[in-house]
Amino acid sequence: MKLCFIGTGYVGLVSGVCFADIGNHVICVDKNLDKINRLNIGDIPIYEPGLSEMVKKNVDVGRLSFSNDLIKSANKSDIIFIAVGTPTSNDGASADLSQVFNVAKTLKKNIKKSKIIVTKSTVPLGTNDQIDKILNGKKKNKLFKVVSNPEFLREGDAIKDFKYPDRVVIGSDDKIVIRTLNALYRPIINKGAIFFASTRRAAELIKYASNAFLATKISFINEIADLCEKANVHVEDVAIGMGLDKRVGSRFLRAGPAYGGSCFPKDTKALIHTSKKFKSQLSIVNSVIKFNNNRNLHIEKNICRILKNKIKNKNVCFLGVTFKANTDDIRDSAALYLISKLSKKGANVKYYEPTGKKDFFDKNEKVKYFSDLYDAIKNNDLIIIHTEWDEFKSLDFTRIKKNNKKVKIYDLRNLYDSKFFQKSNIFYYSIGRPLYA
Ligand code: UDX
């Protein structure tokens, strides 16, 4: 099929490239000409393992191209995907839908043939009705068939998630459209994904409810982890035991710092905003947001306790600053909060990050980037393992001991067994285990 993806951000680019890889002809469009020029020479603007190779392969066989011309690209395509950003608005809660509506208005003005318009951007309940209204007005014979098709890709695992999803959700009540999208997703359905067609509004809510549920699951295990620290229990034992019950499920039960990233914080806030619009209470999601914000404070307090409340001039090294491994994304990463607080309290903060230096910290003179892991790990009072990158899973502790006098490690991802440190002069602290194990 001939597809056009409008927006080459995370969702648009990954989905567009993956659809080309399963045999479709795809044009990825962006209004940012510089980005398109870079994509055309194989310079990929996002960090996603495997994506660059996949772009090259599909451009070479002529199935994938990049363009700045929305109207020409949309005219050539059977299905047009809207995949532009829906960031949090200036009010700090609702989703800013201006980019989505601008695309709809441009399509309405310039496209005269019938098209399927698929919304992949994460949009609140009722948005596709508004898009439909922009595109079709009140006409009964609709030229544009508007469909909701939320994405569930995780950064760092996006290609795998695209090719082997648990489900594909399509929100539409048009049988022909559902059949067409079923055919488009057939290679993925054949590998085991469940194709679920619902109403458009349900599809919109499925996306937000799923993210809010996963955020709840993480916050829940984080709260249990706090109890474990006080009650001399290992949270991993609890998570494994809970997860063995298929009703609970073992995934997303890893205790750690506050969850972050481009989706959970933004989508939970937007869901609350939607619920208010419908005069409904989402008290659970509300308390998850509150708990997650407090989690940063809780971890900060633990760090202060570990350093015996003497933070000034202490050397603190962060291993990883991205919100999770296999991404270069620092949006809403707990490290941003923790580094800012510790540096304000007078700590000298170093950080090593496998995806390189982050401009975000440039203005903070108490924060220094190290491009070499073991240079960063020299002469510290505290090493904080913040992100679960593979290269932090087998650190050379002999070298660490040699290069640090009396160092403490605070492992926010529980990468190590605390027993390992029992006979060493490294003080090891982790999450949801007896605190001073
Ligand atoms: C998420 C959803 O998983 C995905 O379906 C949606 O499309 C976009 O949002 P992403 O933000 O890429 O994906 O990352 P994810 O792997 O879900 O992790 C989100 C946050 O939760 C990270 O901060 C991560 O460290 C944290 N997390 C995740 C935990 O703390 N514990 C876990 O068990 C799982």
Side-chain angles (χ1 to χ4, degrees):
M1 288 187 208
K2 288 183 181 156
L3 314 178
C4 167
F5 275 80
I6 303 173
T8 59
Y10 207 86
V11 175
L13 189 60
V14 172
S15 313
V17 174
C18 287
F19 269 121
D21 205 53
I22 57 170
N24 300 284
H25 282 86
V26 179
I27 312 173
C28 290
V29 178
D30 205 291
K31 62 180 178 189
N32 182 338
L33 183 60
D34 181 49
K35 213 172 178 188
I36 293 299
N37 289 338
R38 282 175 57 191
L39 282 163
N40 272 323
I41 55 166
D43 182 3
I44 311 300
I46 57 170
Y47 179 97
E48 184 60 40
L51 189 64
S52 172
E53 296 81 348
M54 202 181 258
V55 168
K56 187 177 178 329
K57 177 181 145 199
N58 287 284
V59 168
D60 286 352
V61 295
R63 277 199 303 261
L64 177 66
S65 60
F66 301 99
S67 168
N68 190 227
D69 192 335
L70 192 158
I71 299 159
K72 202 166 147 194
S73 310
N75 258 319
K76 278 193 211 164
S77 309
D78 310 312
I79 307 178
I80 300 162
F81 287 83
I82 302 178
V84 291
T86 55
T88 303
S89 301
N90 291 338
D91 64 15
S94 63
D96 175 357
L97 299 171
S98 55
Q99 295 184 63
V100 173
F101 292 145
N102 282 340
V103 169
K105 284 174 197 160
T106 309
L107 294 174
K108 161 78 181 164
K109 211 167 137 197
N110 298 286
I111 310 292
K112 304 294 169 207
K113 277 197 282 182
S114 180
K115 301 280 177 195
I116 296 178
I117 311 292
V118 182
T119 308
K120 267 238 170 263
S121 303
T122 298
V123 293
L125 190 55
T127 307
N128 279 287
D129 294 346
Q130 288 173 275
I131 297 173
D132 201 329
K133 210 164 156 200
I134 294 172
L135 287 166
N136 297 309
K138 283 181 184 157
K139 279 184 200 151
K140 277 223 166 120
N141 248 343
K142 294 181 180 180
L143 193 62
F144 299 98
K145 316 283 185 201
V146 180
V147 187
S148 166
N149 173 212
E151 60 80 24
F152 302 101
L153 309 177
R154 284 166 305 162
E155 292 184 22
D157 289 297
I159 293 176
K160 193 175 86 210
D161 284 353
F162 179 92
K163 294 208 163 174
Y164 304 96
D166 291 334
R167 81 302 208 190
V168 171
V169 175
I170 297 295
S172 168
D173 51 15
D174 184 316
K175 283 200 180 106
I176 298 172
V177 170
I178 293 173
R179 219 179 297 143
T180 308
L181 286 166
N182 186 289
L184 176 67
Y185 276 105
R186 185 50 46 194
I188 288 165
I189 299 165
N190 285 346
K191 282 187 186 147
I194 310 270
F195 183 87
F196 177 58
S198 69
T199 63
R200 228 165 34 188
R201 287 162 79 89
E204 290 169 336
L205 195 50
I206 286 167
K207 165 73 191 205
Y208 281 97
S210 299
N211 274 355
F213 185 77
L214 292 171
T216 306
K217 213 171 167 188
I218 296 166
S219 295
F220 182 86
I221 201 66
N222 282 341
E223 195 162 46
I224 295 293
D226 293 345
L227 172 61
C228 287
E229 283 176 14
K230 294 193 170 132
N232 249 7
V233 177
H234 283 247
V235 70
E236 285 102 330
D237 290 347
V238 181
I240 292 169
M242 283 170 68
L244 287 171
D245 183 333
K246 287 197 180 72
R247 293 170 302 175
V248 177
S250 60
R251 297 179 72 189
F252 277 69
L253 280 181
R254 272 179 290 114
Y259 62 72
S262 64
C263 290
F264 289 173
K266 166 176 90 78
D267 293 350
T268 44
K269 276 189 273 178
L271 183 57
I272 292 296
H273 189 264
T274 303
S275 74
K276 283 186 184 149
K277 219 169 106 188
F278 287 90
K279 296 195 170 38
S280 170
Q281 286 276 333
L282 286 184
S283 61
I284 295 174
V285 184
N286 246 322
S287 55
V288 166
I289 295 173
K290 208 164 145 201
F291 177 85
N292 198 56
N293 291 335
N294 284 339
R295 181 118 193 108
N296 277 324
L297 193 72
H298 177 78
I299 302 284
E300 182 196 345
K301 278 189 187 153
N302 279 352
I303 294 171
C304 292
R305 246 199 346 236
I306 290 168
L307 288 172
K308 303 209 165 26
N309 286 317
K310 287 184 187 121
I311 313 296
K312 200 154 183 227
N313 295 328
K314 286 283 185 317
N315 293 331
V316 179
C317 172
F318 274 75
L319 298 188
V321 292
T322 53
F323 78 96
K324 64 170 189 176
N326 300 321
T327 177
D328 62 351
D329 198 342
I330 57 166
R331 279 177 287 177
D332 272 307
S333 168
L336 307 188
Y337 172 93
L338 296 172
I339 289 179
S340 147
K341 288 287 176 182
L342 291 174
S343 61
K344 264 193 202 131
K345 286 183 173 159
N348 305 310
V349 180
K350 308 170 186 178
Y351 74 96
Y352 167 77
E353 164 54 47
T355 60
K357 189 170 88 61
K358 302 294 166 198
D359 298 345
F360 180 89
F361 300 113
D362 281 359
K363 284 193 192 123
N364 191 337
E365 54 193 27
K366 297 289 281 177
V367 182
K368 205 168 160 207
Y369 165 70
F370 283 74
S371 58
D372 182 87
L373 172 60
Y374 286 94
D375 281 347
I377 306 187
K378 266 182 204 158
N379 302 325
N380 294 292
D381 297 290
L382 176 65
I383 296 168
I384 297 177
I385 303 179
H386 173 270
T387 313
E388 71 282 23
W389 285 97
D390 279 347
E391 62 184 288
F392 305 150
K393 291 178 183 165
S394 46
L395 293 171
D396 180 348
F397 289 104
T398 315
R399 206 164 157 188
I400 291 178
K401 273 192 270 185
K402 214 170 116 197
N403 290 327
N404 295 278
K405 274 190 236 156
K406 262 194 166 180
V407 71
K408 295 173 172 178
I409 294 180
Y410 189 17
D411 178 0
L412 302 184
R413 303 289 182 169
N414 288 1
L415 301 187
Y416 294 94
D417 185 342
S418 11
K419 277 195 213 113
F420 178 78
F421 297 93
Q422 261 168 7
K423 284 186 185 142
S424 119
N425 57 350
I426 293 176
F427 294 87
Y428 177 80
Y429 308 88
S430 47
I431 296 280
R433 294 155 167 182
L435 189 57
Y436 298 107

